[in-house]
Amino acid sequence: MNDTQVMLGHGSGGSMMKRLIDEVFYKAYGSEELLTGDDAAVLALGGARLAFSTDSFVVTPHFFPGGDIGRLAVCGTVNDVATSGATPRYISCAMVLEEGFPMEDLLRICASMRDAAEEAGVVIVTGDTKVVGRGSGDGIFINTSGVGELAPGVNLSGAFCKPGDKVLVSGTLGDHGITIMSCREGLNFQADIQTDAAPLNHLIAAVLDAASHVRCFRDPTRGGLASTLNELAAQSGVDIEVSEESIPVKPAVLGACEMLGYDVLQVANEGKMVCVVAPDEAEAALAAMKSSAYGKDAAIIGEVCEISTPERGPRVSLKTTFGSKRVLDMLVGEQLPRIC
Amino acid sequence: MNDTQVMLGHGSGGSMMKRLIDEVFYKAYGSEELLTGDDAAVLALGGARLAFSTDSFVVTPHFFPGGDIGRLAVCGTVNDVATSGATPRYISCAMVLEEGFPMEDLLRICASMRDAAEEAGVVIVTGDTKVVGRGSGDGIFINTSGVGELAPGVNLSGAFCKPGDKVLVSGTLGDHGITIMSCREGLNFQADIQTDAAPLNHLIAAVLDAASHVRCFRDPTRGGLASTLNELAAQSGVDIEVSEESIPVKPAVLGACEMLGYDVLQVANEGKMVCVVAPDEAEAALAAMKSSAYGKDAAIIGEVCEISTPERGPRVSLKTTFGSKRVLDMLVGEQLPRIC
């Protein structure tokens, strides 16, 4: 590890975070389960198959259009567990509170967690509370961990993508990141930009019912679609090509990204799912997404290909609306800290 | 909730924290599992019985005699899972890092987590990393959540204590809290005071092998033995009487407590287990503890009784070395913030 200190970019979801994970966490305690690199670990326990995932939430501000840190904390972990194909069942909630945090805000956040858990059909079963002095935290940090039940025969992984497979996304990109950005900076792009934070376990279940050759799901949170696709390409040792014109983005979000100089494909989402599926099941998977509460804007956006330049390894490319092709890189450094 | 803001005492492990849990968390999302009030939730999943627990660690300083925040984070969750009688199997690790945190410290902490996980026989299978800006955190906060496997027929709960049962503790009290205190204040009581942080799952397994009528285990962390016994008394609707002279305390720790005005029975432990067991199995449970790596100072310290004054409800009393009897209350307010 060349870095001598932790930097904001180490939490970005992009290449700096990958380096921290590879060189610090994997080196120290890189179990077989951890090294798969999927969002949830798939485990055997007492004859059952379970999926287990964890996420800490440090988003600021705590309340924003369409959601708050509580909704995010429940949905984020529900979605991570669900990416494995499991049915999320139980959630833990551990809070680190800063002295002076308004009790009224805590009550609102807890009510929001309850609502999100009910919507997802999960139960908050265990918790923990720590309080740190003023100046040692930032209001509230929430960790949720989640456990789900995996049916026999369901085996999904970012390492299973094959040339020819289709890549789907469940809806418009960039909504969450741009919402947080505009809140934080006091910008007012458009009234209709709000977080997409949502539990996607029902959408995933619908896709799995409709298509029996799903390779993987992954939610494009920090680092956005670009980082997620790069992770999948690297895990599977393939190229991925996506087409810009097929990627759903709200005009207001696109406008905001252009003004701020962001690549919308690197902006975080909290209620979107990327899905890679066998080509002959792509339409069925798409229809299942579209019929789901949070999938009406779903689209097939590209496909998995053989590696084109073996000496450079797996890469992701974007066919632009102008007909050219450019490499779509993982986010480098930090675009917008603390969006989740 | 009368408090309008979060205060340090809300994280104490004592009566203020109990109020926060009762009036905020239980009211918002008080599931049946959460309301049991045990350290780990016992859950059904795919035909298996699993135990699930979570803990966030905010201790300062990060390194102290005998351990560090990493060892604490693994042992704390291993012990919480094990209190249910389950075999801890899998651990998650989510870190909230502050910008500028020394990478060298992070490497040491990760190595310590690996060592503690190996000692406990658990695997770190999933993780998360967030980075917050300078001034928005305090170096490092670690959440660990844990999943364990519960054998059929094992049913332990703080609600199962019966009059006549014996109360055991697995070793000397107050070591961890006084270690943190002396580090933080630069005090130097005695060279031999160090944290007791240790994984106690093997000790618990040994007791369960030796005694088939264990009612419960609970680790007396924040709030110390006094708060733990009050929790058990309230859960079971019983009185508990313990005898001061039978409670193991190191002379150096007792001396430090006397100097600082602390009640050692309210000081936190991180490697001790309270066990309530049927009277005819108390000696067997004690022998099992004593033969275990972390149990050589184990002792039978008291017993469960009928409620003596029904109008006042369950209470815990201490027979002092002078022969008098005093009420042993739950910690009120905050004694020493951020000891775990």
Side-chain angles (χ1 to χ4, degrees):
Chain A
M1 194 73 196
N2 285 325
D3 308 318
T4 60
Q5 293 192 331
V6 171
M7 293 178 276
L8 282 175
H10 286 125
S12 64
S15 59
M16 278 180 72
M17 190 164 105
K18 187 174 179 316
R19 199 163 70 227
L20 182 73
I21 292 172
D22 288 348
E23 298 184 21
V24 178
F25 304 130
Y26 282 179
K27 263 197 195 159
Y29 45 69
S31 64
E32 189 187 329
E33 294 85 353
L34 198 65
L35 290 169
T36 63
D38 289 315
D39 281 343
V42 172
L43 309 165
L45 190 134
R49 295 177 74 211
L50 65 91
F52 183 27
S53 190
T54 190
D55 245 329
S56 288
F57 294 83
V58 300
V59 65
T60 171
H62 303 122
F63 301 93
F64 37 85
D68 56 52
I69 189 173
R71 179 169 175 84
L72 216 56
V74 171
C75 296
T77 287
V78 162
N79 292 345
D80 280 347
V81 169
T83 56
S84 68
T87 304
R89 296 279 305 277
Y90 305 111
I91 294 275
S92 65
C93 171
M95 298 202 179
V96 177
L97 303 170
E98 185 188 4
E99 185 187 14
F101 187 67
M103 199 58 76
E104 199 186 323
D105 287 359
L106 183 60
L107 289 164
R108 271 178 73 191
I109 289 166
C110 288
S112 172
M113 296 187 76
R114 175 200 55 217
D115 293 345
E118 276 181 14
E119 187 186 347
V122 298
V123 186
I124 301 171
V125 294
T126 188
D128 179 55
T129 313
K130 295 293 188 308
V131 180
V132 298
R134 278 174 209 273
S136 294
D138 197 12
I140 182 169
F141 300 149
I142 304 179
N143 177 280
T144 50
S145 300
V147 171
E149 185 175 349
L150 201 57
V154 178
N155 283 302
L156 310 180
S157 170
F160 293 167
C161 305
K162 290 183 183 62
D165 287 348
K166 297 295 181 187
V167 180
L168 283 72
V169 70
S170 65
T172 56
L173 295 179
D175 302 22
H176 178 72
I178 293 301
T179 301
I180 298 300
M181 178 66 195
S182 34
C183 275
R184 212 183 289 165
E185 304 300 329
L187 303 174
N188 231 326
F189 294 115
Q190 192 103 25
D192 68 345
I193 301 186
Q194 62 170 38
T195 180
D196 56 350
L200 299 177
N201 51 322
H202 303 309
L203 178 144
I204 285 178
V207 172
L208 288 174
D209 272 350
S212 54
H213 293 88
V214 172
R215 312 302 185 200
C216 65
F217 295 98
R218 176 99 23 119
D219 54 339
T221 55
R222 285 177 291 171
L225 179 73
S227 297
T228 291
L229 294 180
N230 273 283
E231 284 173 22
L232 299 179
Q235 273 183 275
S236 289
V238 295
D239 278 5
I240 295 178
E241 280 190 26
V242 292
S243 140
E244 191 170 17
E245 67 183 5
S246 63
I247 299 176
V249 181
K250 286 186 179 143
V253 170
L254 195 63
C257 283
E258 281 169 357
M259 207 168 90
L260 296 164
Y262 288 164
D263 182 345
V264 69
L265 303 184
Q266 292 186 333
V267 175
N269 311 281
E270 289 292 338
K272 294 296 149 30
M273 204 47 75
V274 170
C275 172
V276 180
V277 62
D280 56 341
E281 292 182 343
E283 288 298 336
L286 180 66
M289 278 189 182
K290 281 178 176 287
S291 68
S292 220
Y294 296 107
K296 71 178 172 51
D297 297 319
I300 299 173
I301 60 169
E303 63 178 31
V304 178
C305 315
E306 300 278 0
I307 292 183
S308 62
T309 42
E311 64 280 12
R312 303 184 95 155
R315 60 167 39 182
V316 180
S317 58
L318 179 77
K319 208 163 69 190
T320 69
T321 45
F322 309 109
S324 63
K325 216 157 103 172
R326 71 170 172 92
V327 170
L328 191 60
D329 266 330
M330 201 170 229
L331 179 63
V332 179
E334 179 58 293
Q335 184 190 61
L336 185 62
R338 298 181 60 186
I339 52 86
C340 63
Chain B
M1 192 75 197
N2 284 326
D3 307 319
T4 60
Q5 293 192 331
V6 171
M7 292 178 276
L8 282 174
H10 287 125
S12 63
S15 58
M16 278 181 73
M17 190 164 104
K18 187 173 179 317
R19 200 163 70 227
L20 182 74
I21 292 173
D22 288 348
E23 298 184 21
V24 177
F25 304 130
Y26 282 179
K27 263 196 195 160
Y29 44 71
S31 64
E32 189 188 330
E33 294 86 352
L34 198 65
L35 291 169
T36 63
D38 288 317
D39 281 344
V42 172
L43 309 165
L45 190 134
R49 295 177 75 210
L50 66 90
F52 183 27
S53 191
T54 190
D55 246 329
S56 288
F57 294 83
V58 300
V59 65
T60 169
H62 303 123
F63 301 94
F64 37 83
D68 55 53
I69 188 172
R71 179 168 175 84
L72 216 56
V74 171
C75 296
T77 287
V78 161
N79 292 346
D80 280 347
V81 169
T83 55
S84 68
T87 306
R89 296 278 304 278
Y90 306 110
I91 294 275
S92 65
C93 171
M95 299 201 178
V96 176
L97 303 171
E98 184 188 6
E99 184 186 15
F101 188 68
M103 199 59 75
E104 199 184 323
D105 287 359
L106 182 59
L107 289 163
R108 272 179 74 191
I109 289 166
C110 288
S112 172
M113 295 187 77
R114 175 200 55 218
D115 293 346
E118 277 181 14
E119 186 185 347
V122 298
V123 186
I124 300 171
V125 293
T126 187
D128 178 56
T129 314
K130 295 292 189 307
V131 180
V132 298
R134 280 174 207 271
S136 296
D138 198 11
I140 183 169
F141 299 150
I142 303 179
N143 177 280
T144 50
S145 300
V147 171
E149 185 175 349
L150 201 57
V154 178
N155 283 302
L156 309 180
S157 169
F160 293 167
C161 305
K162 292 183 182 64
D165 287 348
K166 296 294 181 187
V167 180
L168 282 73
V169 70
S170 65
T172 56
L173 295 180
D175 301 23
H176 177 73
I178 293 301
T179 301
I180 298 300
M181 178 66 195
S182 35
C183 274
R184 212 182 290 166
E185 306 299 329
L187 304 172
N188 231 325
F189 295 115
Q190 193 104 25
D192 68 346
I193 300 186
Q194 61 170 39
T195 181
D196 55 352
L200 299 177
N201 50 323
H202 303 307
L203 177 144
I204 284 178
V207 173
L208 287 175
D209 271 351
S212 53
H213 292 87
V214 172
R215 313 300 186 200
C216 65
F217 295 98
R218 176 98 24 119
D219 52 339
T221 55
R222 285 176 290 172
L225 179 72
S227 297
T228 291
L229 294 180
N230 273 282
E231 284 172 22
L232 300 179
Q235 274 184 274
S236 289
V238 294
D239 278 5
I240 296 179
E241 280 191 26
V242 292
S243 140
E244 190 169 17
E245 69 183 6
S246 62
I247 298 175
V249 181
K250 285 185 180 142
V253 170
L254 195 62
C257 284
E258 280 168 358
M259 209 170 88
L260 295 163
Y262 288 164
D263 181 345
V264 69
L265 302 184
Q266 294 186 330
V267 175
N269 311 280
E270 289 291 338
K272 295 295 149 34
M273 204 47 76
V274 171
C275 172
V276 180
V277 62
D280 56 340
E281 293 183 341
E283 288 298 336
L286 180 66
M289 278 189 182
K290 281 178 176 286
S291 67
S292 219
Y294 295 108
K296 70 178 174 50
D297 297 319
I300 298 173
I301 60 169
E303 65 179 29
V304 178
C305 315
E306 301 278 359
I307 292 183
S308 61
T309 42
E311 63 282 10
R312 304 183 92 155
R315 59 167 39 182
V316 179
S317 58
L318 178 78
K319 209 165 67 190
T320 69
T321 44
F322 309 109
S324 62
K325 214 157 101 172
R326 70 169 172 95
V327 170
L328 192 59
D329 266 328
M330 200 170 232
L331 179 63
V332 178
E334 178 57 292
Q335 183 189 63
L336 186 60
R338 299 181 58 185
I339 53 85
C340 64

